[in-house]
Amino acid sequence: MILPLPTLLCGALLGAVLWSATLSADPVASRWSSITFADDRHIKTEIADTPAQRALGLMYRETLGENQGMLFVYPDSDIRYVWMKNTLLALDIVFLNENGIIVSMLPNLAPCSQQYCPIYPSKAVARYMLEVNAGFIDKHQLKTGQEVIIDYRH
């Protein structure tokens, strides 16, 4: 099968970003923040605030602690997209606006090891995207409109 040039270029660009992110990934250099939910539950979140960190996300991770997640920080508010390509864990995705209000959620996204994986959009503009273990949304009864406290520093 011959793929169109734009598809090949897009794949090559994504591969280069992921490869460079993997080379520069240093677990010691990871930055962490915390998020507090309405039920006063705190979780520790790894920060992904560069394009390379956001592209890599939780890909290839085999475990994620019960009270851990990854907080994707964007420079602006927009519709956000997520895919589960090379993600080994089922995840819940929580989208937050610049004020820490939950604006959209995607529960129980399954891992995807296929060549083509679905892309899931947020239902509203978001500044932050939080990835946590699947089941977190239901377990903690998260609802759109709830406020969370994000302890994030540049």
Side-chain angles (χ1 to χ4, degrees):
M1 173 205 262
I2 298 175
L3 296 174
L5 184 59
T7 302
L8 291 172
L9 292 175
C10 184
L13 177 61
L14 179 59
V17 167
L18 293 177
W19 180 72
S20 67
T22 303
L23 289 179
S24 65
D26 178 1
V28 176
S30 293
R31 292 183 305 128
W32 295 83
S33 70
S34 66
I35 293 183
T36 306
F37 292 89
D39 63 357
D40 207 32
R41 172 166 303 279
H42 302 275
I43 65 167
K44 186 175 180 179
T45 56
E46 187 175 352
I47 298 294
D49 60 0
T50 68
Q53 290 168 334
R54 291 190 298 262
L56 185 59
L58 290 173
M59 288 182 179
Y60 309 108
R61 302 277 181 103
E62 295 179 356
T63 61
L64 182 63
E66 180 180 347
N67 292 313
Q68 290 185 333
M70 181 171 276
L71 181 66
F72 293 71
V73 180
Y74 295 91
D76 60 359
S77 295
D78 205 345
I79 297 294
R80 299 294 169 207
Y81 299 89
V82 62
W83 69 343
M84 298 296 287
K85 178 78 172 171
N86 298 320
T87 303
L88 307 176
L89 308 166
L91 298 173
D92 283 354
I93 312 297
V94 179
F95 298 96
L96 305 151
N97 70 12
E98 64 279 353
N99 298 316
I101 305 295
I102 298 173
V103 295
S104 182
M105 296 183 288
L106 297 169
N108 298 307
L109 295 185
C112 182
S113 59
Q114 305 301 315
Q115 182 176 357
Y116 301 104
C117 297
I119 297 173
Y120 306 95
S122 61
K123 292 184 173 109
V125 297
R127 171 90 190 276
Y128 305 99
M129 183 175 76
L130 174 64
E131 294 184 346
V132 290
N133 285 310
F136 188 93
I137 289 172
D138 289 338
K139 181 178 181 180
H140 300 288
Q141 302 176 345
L142 299 185
K143 305 283 185 227
T144 302
Q146 285 180 331
E147 184 178 4
V148 303
I149 298 168
I150 301 170
D151 180 18
Y152 165 74
R153 293 174 188 85
H154 296 276

